[in-house]
Short mmCIF file of all heavy atoms in Angstrom, two decimals:
data_model
loop_
_atom_site.label_atom_id
_atom_site.label_comp_id
_atom_site.label_asym_id
_atom_site.label_seq_id
_atom_site.Cartn_x
_atom_site.Cartn_y
_atom_site.Cartn_z
N PHE A 106 8.17 -0.62 5.33
CA PHE A 106 9.07 -1.81 5.17
C PHE A 106 8.85 -2.63 6.49
O PHE A 106 8.19 -2.21 7.53
CB PHE A 106 10.58 -1.36 5.20
CG PHE A 106 11.06 -0.63 6.31
CD1 PHE A 106 11.69 -1.32 7.34
CD2 PHE A 106 11.03 0.81 6.34
CE1 PHE A 106 12.21 -0.69 8.47
CE2 PHE A 106 11.52 1.45 7.51
CZ PHE A 106 12.17 0.72 8.47
N GLU A 107 9.37 -3.81 6.52
CA GLU A 107 9.29 -4.74 7.62
C GLU A 107 10.61 -4.60 8.49
O GLU A 107 11.69 -4.32 7.86
CB GLU A 107 9.08 -6.17 7.26
CG GLU A 107 7.69 -6.37 6.59
CD GLU A 107 7.46 -7.88 6.28
OE1 GLU A 107 8.36 -8.69 6.39
OE2 GLU A 107 6.35 -8.16 5.68
N ALA A 108 10.52 -4.97 9.67
CA ALA A 108 11.68 -4.71 10.62
C ALA A 108 12.95 -5.52 9.96
O ALA A 108 14.04 -4.96 10.09
CB ALA A 108 11.39 -5.14 11.96
N ASN A 109 12.68 -6.68 9.57
CA ASN A 109 13.81 -7.48 9.13
C ASN A 109 14.39 -7.09 7.82
O ASN A 109 15.53 -7.46 7.48
CB ASN A 109 13.41 -9.03 9.09
CG ASN A 109 13.38 -9.68 10.44
OD1 ASN A 109 14.18 -9.24 11.25
ND2 ASN A 109 12.56 -10.67 10.61
N ASP A 110 13.63 -6.25 7.06
CA ASP A 110 14.13 -5.68 5.76
C ASP A 110 15.37 -4.79 6.15
O ASP A 110 16.35 -4.82 5.29
CB ASP A 110 13.09 -4.84 5.12
CG ASP A 110 11.99 -5.62 4.54
OD1 ASP A 110 12.15 -6.82 4.31
OD2 ASP A 110 10.88 -5.09 4.29
N LEU A 111 15.38 -4.22 7.28
CA LEU A 111 16.52 -3.41 7.64
C LEU A 111 17.48 -4.05 8.60
O LEU A 111 18.62 -4.07 8.40
CB LEU A 111 15.96 -2.11 8.32
CG LEU A 111 16.96 -1.10 9.04
CD1 LEU A 111 18.06 -0.72 7.90
CD2 LEU A 111 16.36 0.08 9.63
N PHE A 112 16.86 -4.81 9.60
CA PHE A 112 17.71 -5.48 10.62
C PHE A 112 18.73 -6.51 9.95
O PHE A 112 19.82 -6.55 10.28
CB PHE A 112 16.85 -6.06 11.63
CG PHE A 112 17.58 -6.46 12.93
CD1 PHE A 112 17.89 -5.63 13.90
CD2 PHE A 112 18.07 -7.87 13.04
CE1 PHE A 112 18.60 -5.98 15.06
CE2 PHE A 112 18.76 -8.19 14.13
CZ PHE A 112 19.12 -7.33 15.11
N GLU A 113 18.15 -7.34 9.06
CA GLU A 113 18.90 -8.24 8.42
C GLU A 113 19.36 -7.88 7.07
O GLU A 113 19.95 -8.74 6.32
CB GLU A 113 18.11 -9.58 8.31
CG GLU A 113 17.70 -10.22 9.71
CD GLU A 113 17.01 -11.51 9.49
OE1 GLU A 113 16.68 -11.94 8.48
OE2 GLU A 113 16.69 -12.16 10.63
N SER A 114 19.15 -6.65 6.80
CA SER A 114 19.58 -6.10 5.32
C SER A 114 18.99 -7.02 4.17
O SER A 114 19.43 -7.16 3.24
CB SER A 114 20.99 -6.18 5.21
OG SER A 114 21.41 -5.40 4.05
N GLY A 115 17.64 -7.37 4.52
CA GLY A 115 16.91 -8.26 3.51
C GLY A 115 16.46 -7.63 2.39
O GLY A 115 16.32 -8.18 1.34
N ASN A 116 16.00 -6.33 2.60
CA ASN A 116 15.46 -5.65 1.42
C ASN A 116 15.69 -4.16 1.74
O ASN A 116 14.77 -3.34 2.01
CB ASN A 116 13.87 -5.92 1.35
CG ASN A 116 13.30 -5.32 0.05
OD1 ASN A 116 13.99 -4.57 -0.68
ND2 ASN A 116 12.07 -5.75 -0.11
N MET A 117 16.89 -3.62 1.51
CA MET A 117 17.24 -2.30 1.66
C MET A 117 16.60 -1.33 0.67
O MET A 117 16.39 -0.18 0.88
CB MET A 117 18.80 -2.12 1.66
CG MET A 117 19.50 -2.62 3.02
SD MET A 117 18.93 -1.82 4.48
CE MET A 117 19.29 -0.11 4.16
N THR A 118 16.20 -1.95 -0.43
CA THR A 118 15.55 -1.13 -1.50
C THR A 118 14.17 -0.64 -0.93
O THR A 118 13.80 0.43 -1.10
CB THR A 118 15.30 -1.99 -2.71
OG1 THR A 118 16.47 -2.41 -3.35
CG2 THR A 118 14.55 -1.13 -3.76
N GLN A 119 13.43 -1.63 -0.30
CA GLN A 119 12.12 -1.29 0.31
C GLN A 119 12.39 -0.25 1.41
O GLN A 119 11.54 0.71 1.64
CB GLN A 119 11.38 -2.55 0.82
CG GLN A 119 9.98 -2.15 1.35
CD GLN A 119 9.06 -1.54 0.42
OE1 GLN A 119 9.14 -1.90 -0.75
NE2 GLN A 119 8.28 -0.61 0.88
N VAL A 120 13.45 -0.36 2.25
CA VAL A 120 13.73 0.59 3.27
C VAL A 120 13.90 1.86 2.71
O VAL A 120 13.44 2.92 3.19
CB VAL A 120 14.97 0.12 4.14
CG1 VAL A 120 15.35 1.20 5.08
CG2 VAL A 120 14.74 -1.16 4.80
N GLN A 121 14.66 1.97 1.59
CA GLN A 121 14.89 3.30 0.96
C GLN A 121 13.70 3.90 0.46
O GLN A 121 13.38 5.02 0.61
CB GLN A 121 15.83 3.05 -0.26
CG GLN A 121 16.31 4.47 -0.90
CD GLN A 121 17.38 4.18 -1.99
OE1 GLN A 121 17.01 3.73 -3.13
NE2 GLN A 121 18.57 4.34 -1.66
N VAL A 122 12.81 3.09 -0.23
CA VAL A 122 11.48 3.64 -0.73
C VAL A 122 10.60 4.12 0.42
O VAL A 122 10.02 5.21 0.29
CB VAL A 122 10.66 2.42 -1.43
CG1 VAL A 122 9.33 2.82 -1.78
CG2 VAL A 122 11.41 2.02 -2.75
N SER A 123 10.65 3.41 1.50
CA SER A 123 9.89 3.78 2.71
C SER A 123 10.30 5.14 3.23
O SER A 123 9.42 6.09 3.61
CB SER A 123 9.90 2.69 3.74
OG SER A 123 9.06 2.93 4.86
N LEU A 124 11.62 5.27 3.45
CA LEU A 124 12.19 6.53 4.00
C LEU A 124 11.98 7.68 3.02
O LEU A 124 11.66 8.88 3.53
CB LEU A 124 13.59 6.31 4.35
CG LEU A 124 13.92 5.37 5.36
CD1 LEU A 124 15.51 5.21 5.63
CD2 LEU A 124 13.33 5.86 6.74
N LEU A 125 12.06 7.48 1.69
CA LEU A 125 11.73 8.52 0.72
C LEU A 125 10.21 8.97 0.87
O LEU A 125 9.96 10.16 0.74
CB LEU A 125 12.08 8.08 -0.59
CG LEU A 125 13.56 8.00 -0.95
CD1 LEU A 125 13.75 7.33 -2.31
CD2 LEU A 125 14.21 9.39 -0.98
N ALA A 126 9.39 8.00 0.99
CA ALA A 126 7.96 8.27 1.18
C ALA A 126 7.74 9.09 2.47
O ALA A 126 6.81 9.95 2.48
CB ALA A 126 7.15 7.04 1.11
N LEU A 127 8.46 8.72 3.61
CA LEU A 127 8.38 9.42 4.81
C LEU A 127 8.78 10.85 4.69
O LEU A 127 8.02 11.80 5.18
CB LEU A 127 9.09 8.78 5.90
CG LEU A 127 9.21 9.47 7.30
CD1 LEU A 127 7.78 9.41 7.84
CD2 LEU A 127 10.19 8.74 8.19
#
Side-chain angles (χ1 to χ4, degrees):
F106 67 90
E107 295 181 2
N109 281 331
D110 290 339
L111 174 56
F112 192 84
E113 297 182 355
S114 193
N116 189 352
M117 284 303 294
T118 300
Q119 182 60 35
V120 173
Q121 186 177 79
V122 168
S123 185
L124 292 176
L125 288 170
L127 177 62

